[in-house]
Amino acid sequence: MTALLDVSDLRVEFATRHGVVSAVQDVSFTLEKGETLGVVGESGSGKSVTSYAVMRILDRGGRIAEGRVSYAGVDLRAASEREMGAIRGREIGMIFQNPRAALNPIRKVGRQIGDVLIRHARATRQTAHDRAVEALRAVEIRNPEARAHAYPFELSGGMCQRVVIALALACDPRLLIADEPTTGLDVTTQKAVMDLIAGLTRARGMSAILITHDLGLAAAYCDRIAVMKDGQVVETAPSAQVFARPAHAYTAKLMRATARPGARLRDLLETPKPEAPRPAPGAALLVVESLAKTFADGVRAVKGVSFTIREGESLGLVGESGCGKSTTSSMVMRLLDPSSGRILLGGEDIGTVPAAHFPRDRRRGAIQMVFQDATDSLNPRFTARRAIADPLMRLTALGGRERAAKVEALAEQVGLPLHLLDRFPHQLSGGQKARVGIARALATSPKLLILDEPTAALDVSIQAVVLNLLADLRAELGMSYLFVSHDLHVVRLLCDRVMVMRGGEIVEEGDAETVMERPAHPYTRSLLDAAPVPPALAAETPLMETARCAP
Amino acid sequence: MTAATPARPTGLRAFLAHGAYVLRDNPVTLIAFALFLFIVFCAVFGPLLAPYDPLESNAARALQPPSADHWFGTDSLGRDVFSRVLVATRLDLAISVAAVALSFCAGSAIGAAAGYWGGWVDAVTGRVVDTIMAFPLFVLAMGIVAALGNTVENIVYATAIINLPFYARVARAEVAIRREAGFAQAARLAGNSDLRVLALHIFPNALPPMMVQLSLNMGWAILNAAGLSFIGLGVRPPTPEWGIMVAEGANFIVSGEWWLAIFPGLALMLAVFTFNLLGDGLRDLVDPRRRT
């Protein structure tokens, strides 16, 4: 029997300002009927480009330069645009990364599904609505009759992704391509969406390609895994085998860098390093007392939270989107005024200074932040040098020459090569931008650093490096961290204590290991269960044993 | 992009290299910049280059068709049309540049404040701008010039006022979407006051779309100034100005003296055309993201 999808020696080229660049080369894989293939790789590895090439929806300037793509015996490279139109949607369905961007914002979701059904002659104008409701019911949307009349902005992120899945599956395609279907969704929503996709593909006997950067996710849902790096497939093997005996060094590196239970911060790095010492907690630095925020529209985002961070201590604040963790950190950061409660920094109430005046306050420099999205947090018109110098200019009395020296010292401290200082953010990689953001936050020698998901937008291998950098800086400078994240496994690596937040309240607080090993609250347990974790590194155990056996 | 990449040229050199790329990349931009330089050259050196005095009448040579002596012919008073068209460039360009600069500064300040602070600032400025937009703009400009007095300055003010809403709206929208952006928050953390965040961090990022608006408006402002002169407001004869020249020449078209209106009209068209083409190029030039 021939494979459903057969890609061989695929090469995709893009015409750019600096000549022709090949994004993908020598990519070959096959997909059998009913099989789920995981394509895993970091950003820029060409995994999305490969799937776009299969669908023939490459961006302007992109073209398939070489290779063969055949779907059920049909050569997709030779197919006309009209034939491709029939294949897309009816034969091959696709789920995109950002569900909100994939839906037409001004058309009701039921209608959008109806459009696809009519386009592929699966329904007539009269039956389209009923068929769309059926499609919504299939993706387990509650009350599909009412939801069919909703606009995308009226639905949550998880709900939008379900609609996109309904769209992709409406015409019963035989192949489903899911491009990072759960990026940006909470872990519990991610689990629900992935279980739904897995259940539907199994029930309908479909084949699927799951494109993801998350090894854990791929391990949990795929039969076979193809690992991509720099536009090439470096390894293809059944899931279990990939995790048990990674054949390629890059696969092993990826697995090592993934945060998982039992691993310590240094275990994530390629080259082992001694664990950075954690500073011994001192006196209370930040005391937050029954902090609450009610927005003008009556939404109670934070309903009275209290916590203490001691000098040199790291506290993790974990919760899903909408739980109030960002509102809490914004209030502590003094970007937002609380409705009630006190924020004491070193015994002084900084909550009484209005957020609008706090930038000129003498305590501004003592409390700084590393933002979630390094790209968004850097001014596109400022070079790295100017970005780091900005807080020095406003908050310190340093002269021009001292400032220049301090910027270079900061860059060295965070491991940013000095020649990159004159680049603009768009000329830097994700990891380099993260370093600029950290250097800027460190510029005023803060006592408390709030880390708002500082690695959420980074690849795992870079995440590992940045987390280790943060641990080194803490050991060196004795700062306190408030680490805000949705990922318990990442928080555990860096924090002494963890708070779990839900619906504006803290539901559980305690020692990081205890919360992870023996969660007391059912919500914490559901968070832990929902996070997909790759099987433990097989290579790690014997290595540790040998180390232990050695005299 | 890796750490091993050698350092690239910085500062002015990088800007020039980027400019050269923008021009190479799009031939239309190249043509537009060439025409723009030509117009600026005429404005600066026009009076020096003009073969005749644009105001000197010579009844003996009235209404002569284009010839080797008078490239664009002569008008009813025997004045050289070529010299007049050339000399008029400076006045027309000055009026439109001054008007556009005024409305760009005022409009973007108003719009940026409305977009950043919202609330009553937005409500008040929004209604004022709507009120201006509610009038037929050219009629409003006529009214302003008629009320304030028939001078060149008043043409500038009138043109500035009717162009202001476009800048205010673009600036408001561009600032509002960046108000809560990460880099604006980071700027507040770095100790920048609200005014600084707006002026140094957010506003420069709103420039690229404003540049497109700017160049489109330049063309429009020239047309507007010429239009006002055409109907007898603003610049008065015998000052050489494209609008007046077209107006005066229009009377002679019926009797076959086509060159009186055609040449100043072509000059006007060329100027408007140039500024309309310039927009995309200007945007590419000021957008740092286009530099790689």
Side-chain angles (χ1 to χ4, degrees):
Chain A
M1 193 186 100
T2 56
L4 183 66
L5 182 70
D6 188 356
V7 175
S8 57
D9 303 321
L10 181 71
R11 189 155 68 87
V12 179
E13 288 180 346
F14 284 89
T16 70
R17 184 160 163 174
H18 302 293
V20 174
V21 174
S22 76
V24 161
Q25 60 256 309
D26 304 327
V27 165
S28 305
F29 61 85
T30 57
L31 185 68
E32 303 296 335
K33 200 167 175 303
E35 189 187 31
T36 301
L37 174 73
V39 179
V40 179
E42 298 189 296
S43 53
S45 62
K47 51 194 197 302
S48 290
V49 170
T50 305
S51 67
Y52 291 174
V54 169
M55 288 290 260
R56 290 249 312 263
I57 49 171
L58 288 166
D59 289 346
R60 196 170 66 103
R63 65 184 197 94
I64 301 176
E66 266 175 44
R68 213 164 53 81
V69 180
S70 80
Y71 168 81
V74 179
D75 184 359
L76 294 189
R77 254 190 94 182
S80 68
E81 202 44 46
R82 176 188 285 264
E83 288 164 332
M84 280 313 293
I87 288 172
R88 291 183 202 121
R90 194 164 66 198
E91 289 291 331
I92 311 179
M94 187 148 183
I95 302 174
F96 291 93
Q97 189 162 0
N98 183 348
R100 233 175 260 285
L103 291 171
N104 184 342
I106 55 161
R107 205 156 161 74
K108 290 173 178 171
V109 296
R111 291 236 171 162
Q112 298 192 38
I113 299 173
D115 291 343
V116 175
L117 290 167
I118 294 170
R119 164 79 180 74
H120 291 294
R122 289 299 178 105
T124 60
R125 231 160 253 297
Q126 289 72 36
T127 59
H129 180 74
D130 295 338
R131 296 292 305 274
V133 171
E134 266 173 51
L136 287 174
R137 188 174 290 122
V139 293
E140 293 163 27
I141 285 182
R142 260 171 289 161
N143 200 358
E145 286 85 3
R147 292 290 184 221
H149 291 290
Y151 289 98
F153 71 87
E154 296 174 304
L155 303 173
S156 68
M159 202 70 94
C160 278
Q161 193 57 291
R162 281 171 195 266
V163 172
V164 172
I165 296 170
L167 260 174
L169 297 185
C171 297
D172 285 313
R174 284 194 284 163
L175 169 61
L176 177 71
I177 300 179
D179 185 3
E180 304 262 10
T182 59
T183 306
L185 300 181
D186 288 322
V187 274
T188 49
T189 318
Q190 162 169 298
K191 185 168 162 53
V193 166
M194 283 313 301
D195 286 346
L196 176 71
I197 293 177
L200 287 172
T201 48
R202 201 175 311 119
R204 300 180 184 200
M206 290 162 54
S207 307
I209 297 178
L210 172 67
I211 296 165
T212 179
H213 65 278
D214 188 338
L215 271 174
L217 202 67
Y221 294 99
C222 300
D223 305 315
R224 271 192 315 139
I225 290 179
V227 181
M228 284 191 78
K229 179 181 190 266
D230 300 334
Q232 284 176 314
V233 175
V234 296
E235 181 172 0
T236 313
S239 298
Q241 193 186 325
V242 168
F243 287 98
R245 291 183 302 282
H248 197 277
Y250 178 71
T251 316
K253 179 187 163 194
L254 266 188
M255 286 168 61
R256 190 177 287 279
T258 306
R260 57 198 181 273
R264 290 158 49 104
L265 206 42
R266 296 302 197 214
D267 295 339
L268 307 188
L269 293 177
E270 260 181 298
T271 45
K273 247 168 91 178
E275 204 74 22
R278 293 193 175 189
L285 174 69
L286 178 81
V287 179
V288 171
E289 289 173 358
S290 39
L291 194 65
K293 178 71 189 177
T294 307
F295 284 107
D297 54 5
V299 175
R300 292 177 64 204
V302 179
K303 305 168 184 166
V305 298
S306 303
F307 58 88
T308 302
I309 301 178
R310 298 197 286 167
E311 280 171 15
E313 187 187 39
S314 297
L315 177 66
L317 179 57
V318 181
E320 296 190 298
S321 52
C323 76
K325 60 184 196 301
S326 297
T327 310
T328 306
S329 68
S330 290
M331 286 191 287
V332 173
M333 202 65 251
R334 303 303 302 115
L335 286 172
L336 190 67
D337 284 320
S339 304
S340 65
R342 301 207 298 164
I343 305 163
L344 302 167
L345 184 72
E348 295 174 71
D349 191 352
I350 56 170
T352 53
V353 184
H357 295 158
F358 204 72
R360 311 302 306 152
D361 195 278
R362 71 192 152 78
R363 291 158 297 193
R364 175 72 282 172
I367 170 165
Q368 287 288 320
M369 181 161 178
V370 178
F371 288 83
Q372 175 168 8
D373 184 348
T375 310
D376 177 55
S377 79
L378 295 175
N379 188 335
R381 302 186 78 90
F382 277 20
T383 58
R385 187 186 298 279
R386 197 162 163 211
I388 300 172
D390 197 36
L392 293 171
M393 261 156 75
R394 305 281 165 242
L395 295 171
T396 63
L398 294 181
R401 196 165 301 160
E402 291 162 295
R403 197 164 58 223
K406 175 79 175 165
V407 169
E408 300 202 343
L410 283 164
E412 263 166 33
Q413 202 164 25
V414 299
L416 184 74
L418 292 184
H419 71 269
L420 297 181
L421 279 175
D422 292 308
R423 291 210 185 158
F424 287 99
H426 70 274
Q427 297 167 326
L428 298 170
S429 70
Q432 289 163 349
K433 278 183 273 197
R435 285 175 202 268
V436 174
I438 294 170
R440 176 177 61 186
L442 292 178
T444 56
S445 313
K447 289 187 214 147
L448 174 66
L449 201 56
I450 296 188
L451 309 168
D452 183 9
E453 309 229 17
T455 60
L458 300 177
D459 285 323
V460 278
S461 60
I462 297 166
Q463 162 172 296
V465 174
V466 169
L467 288 174
N468 275 286
L469 170 68
L470 288 168
D472 289 336
L473 289 169
R474 179 179 56 185
E476 195 181 322
L477 305 170
M479 290 176 292
S480 303
Y481 285 164
L482 175 61
F483 192 126
V484 181
S485 179
H486 67 278
D487 190 340
L488 270 166
H489 293 294
V490 170
V491 168
R492 184 188 54 91
L493 292 168
L494 205 62
C495 296
D496 310 304
R497 281 191 304 129
V498 175
M499 294 190 300
V500 180
M501 200 166 178
R502 186 191 194 188
E505 284 163 340
I506 291 169
V507 295
E508 182 165 1
E509 182 181 357
D511 176 57
E513 294 299 328
T514 318
V515 172
M516 294 287 293
E517 303 298 332
R518 294 182 294 282
H521 197 277
Y523 178 66
T524 316
R525 216 168 301 141
S526 72
L527 275 186
L528 279 167
D529 289 344
V533 170
L537 270 181
E540 209 168 65
T541 335
L543 207 90
M544 279 158 73
E545 274 166 9
T546 14
R548 233 175 265 136
C549 294
Chain B
M1 206 174 294
T2 57
T5 325
R8 336 151 162 263
T10 52
L12 186 67
R13 263 182 66 202
F15 185 76
L16 291 179
H18 175 64
Y21 169 73
V22 168
L23 294 183
R24 258 202 324 274
D25 189 42
N26 189 349
V28 175
T29 306
L30 186 66
I31 293 172
F33 270 89
L35 284 175
F36 175 68
L37 287 181
F38 172 69
I39 291 174
V40 170
F41 177 83
C42 290
V44 174
F45 298 105
L48 295 177
L49 297 175
Y52 298 90
D53 182 340
L55 297 178
E56 190 190 72
S57 45
N58 181 352
R61 313 199 56 146
L63 290 175
Q64 294 203 346
S67 63
D69 280 349
H70 299 279
W71 291 357
F72 293 177
T74 59
D75 66 6
S76 55
L77 297 175
R79 295 174 298 196
D80 179 44
V81 176
F82 176 68
S83 300
R84 286 175 66 78
V85 167
L86 199 61
V87 170
T89 314
R90 184 184 286 184
L91 181 64
D92 276 283
L93 206 62
I95 292 176
S96 53
V97 166
V100 167
L102 259 181
S103 56
F104 175 80
C105 294
S108 55
I110 291 171
Y116 189 78
W117 281 288
W120 67 266
V121 182
D122 190 19
V124 171
T125 57
R127 293 301 82 75
V128 170
V129 165
D130 285 349
T131 312
I132 298 176
M133 293 288 277
F135 289 97
L137 292 180
F138 191 72
V139 177
L140 181 65
M142 280 165 58
I144 294 170
V145 176
L148 292 180
N150 221 347
T151 64
V152 173
E153 294 90 78
N154 288 337
I155 296 189
V156 171
Y157 296 141
T159 310
I161 288 174
I162 62 171
N163 278 324
L164 186 136
F166 300 102
Y167 295 103
R169 289 199 168 166
V170 175
R172 180 186 173 279
E174 293 294 324
V175 167
I177 52 171
R178 292 179 174 84
R179 185 174 52 187
E180 299 301 329
F183 70 83
Q185 300 279 30
R188 287 180 198 116
L189 290 187
N192 293 281
S193 58
D194 274 348
L195 203 60
R196 265 215 174 86
V197 173
L198 178 57
L200 297 182
H201 289 264
I202 298 180
F203 185 69
N205 282 293
L207 274 179
M210 310 254 325
M211 281 296 143
V212 178
Q213 187 72 52
L214 191 85
S215 84
L216 287 179
N217 264 7
M218 278 293 293
W220 205 52
I222 290 184
L223 213 51
N224 191 67
L228 285 173
S229 309
F230 181 87
I231 56 170
L233 287 167
V235 184
R236 270 182 268 193
T239 320
E241 199 279 338
W242 295 335
I244 301 178
M245 293 170 72
V246 174
E248 289 175 344
N251 302 327
F252 294 90
I253 288 182
V254 210
S255 49
E257 284 95 12
W258 51 270
W259 56 90
L260 292 186
I262 288 287
F263 289 112
L266 280 177
L268 195 57
M269 197 196 82
L270 187 73
V272 175
F273 180 69
T274 301
F275 286 114
N276 286 351
L277 286 186
L278 211 54
D280 284 351
L282 270 181
R283 182 201 53 210
D284 291 349
L285 209 58
V286 295
D287 190 348
R289 257 173 281 217
R290 299 273 309 198
R291 284 187 230 172
T292 24

